[in-house]
Amino acid sequence: MSDFGDESTFEDTFLTVSRTSEGLYKDKSSKFFYFSFPVKNEEEIKNHLSDLRKKYFDARHHCFAWMLGKDADQFRANDDGEPNHSAGDPILGQIRSNNLTNILIVVVRYFGGTKLGISGLIQAYKTSAALAIEENEIMEEHLKTSVSIHFPYPVMNDVMKLIKAHDLQILSQEMTLDCQMELEFRKGLEELIVTSLEDIESLELTVI
């Protein structure tokens, strides 16, 4: 345990998926290609949706749901032409039941000629979303924050000790007449890290 207390008590943790997963589910000749992606913002979501629409341009439906934010307070479900609440909501339901966020699940459907009915559609999209999650890896993630620091060379050792002690990530650094760095770390450490940095002589700090 560090001098900064027990990091497990910080309320900056959430569950998400660690990578992209994909697969195929079939029901009465209809094909459901399912995908799950870890995402951080709506721009990433748009890019994934655009890529899938280009790849599966001849598919009848690209249904999806996503959630963002530690508290999952940003979300959307889209039926993309399927009957209301028969596709997007079942996908979103699987995200919620697994307590996930920062995730996008897309299910691309090719109609096989046999109608599934509303209940059949709901079950097919629910199953596809569940498989997309099951075949991925659920991981614990932390909210991050970053600071920009500017300091003279004589205090470099103090800065590096702090970086090493708390596993801070150096996003960028510039060494000229003096030193400038951008550091990233979990949100729960912000007050403690900022206070420690401010205690270093001649160091200037900006929270980004």
Side-chain angles (χ1 to χ4, degrees):
M1 185 182 297
S2 72
D3 294 338
F4 291 91
D6 184 359
E7 296 179 9
S8 65
T9 63
F10 297 144
E11 296 180 358
D12 61 354
T13 302
F14 58 90
L15 296 178
T16 188
V17 289
S18 66
R19 53 180 171 78
T20 298
S21 67
E22 60 181 87
L24 171 62
Y25 173 73
K26 296 180 180 179
D27 190 353
K28 295 181 180 177
S29 299
S30 280
K31 294 180 179 179
F32 297 83
F33 291 90
Y34 53 80
F35 308 84
S36 64
F37 306 91
V39 290
K40 294 181 180 178
N41 51 57
E42 290 191 48
E43 188 64 30
E44 289 186 14
I45 291 170
K46 291 177 183 177
N47 290 339
H48 285 307
L49 291 172
S50 176
D51 289 344
L52 289 175
R53 288 190 185 281
K54 290 175 184 176
K55 183 175 182 179
Y56 299 93
F57 62 91
D58 55 342
R60 179 172 292 194
H61 306 285
H62 288 246
C63 306
F64 63 87
W66 54 261
M67 275 192 164
L68 292 174
K70 183 183 79 72
D71 299 318
D73 51 359
Q74 302 173 60
F75 58 88
R76 185 184 175 195
N78 190 309
D79 296 312
D80 194 35
E82 295 282 32
N84 285 347
H85 309 299
S86 67
D89 282 354
I91 297 171
L92 186 64
Q94 288 303 298
I95 294 174
R96 283 182 167 145
S97 66
N98 284 276
N99 298 312
L100 300 174
T101 189
N102 285 17
I103 180 176
L104 164 68
I105 295 180
V106 186
V107 181
V108 178
R109 181 192 181 195
Y110 284 86
F111 181 55
T114 302
K115 292 185 177 181
L116 301 181
I118 299 296
S119 61
L121 285 173
I122 291 172
Q123 186 60 41
Y125 281 103
K126 177 182 177 181
T127 300
S128 297
L131 289 170
I133 295 170
E134 181 181 322
E135 293 170 18
N136 208 311
E137 178 186 9
I138 295 177
M139 62 178 287
E140 188 177 86
E141 186 61 275
H142 307 292
L143 287 179
K144 301 289 181 63
T145 191
S146 56
V147 296
S148 176
I149 56 175
H150 186 268
F151 57 92
Y153 280 99
V155 299
M156 171 69 83
N157 192 46
D158 293 333
V159 173
M160 295 309 296
K161 279 184 179 179
L162 185 65
I163 290 172
K164 183 177 181 180
H166 300 285
D167 197 25
L168 310 186
Q169 183 178 359
I170 301 174
L171 298 181
S172 65
Q173 57 183 337
E174 184 177 342
M175 306 298 180
T176 52
L177 294 177
D178 48 21
C179 309
Q180 187 163 334
M181 290 183 179
E182 184 177 336
L183 306 175
E184 184 180 68
F185 45 88
R186 60 183 295 184
K187 182 72 173 177
L189 283 170
E190 181 176 359
E191 181 179 353
L192 303 167
I193 295 298
V194 167
T195 298
S196 296
L197 286 169
E198 288 176 339
D199 285 342
I200 297 175
E201 186 177 357
S202 303
L203 184 144
E204 298 175 4
L205 177 148
T206 302
V207 177
I208 302 173

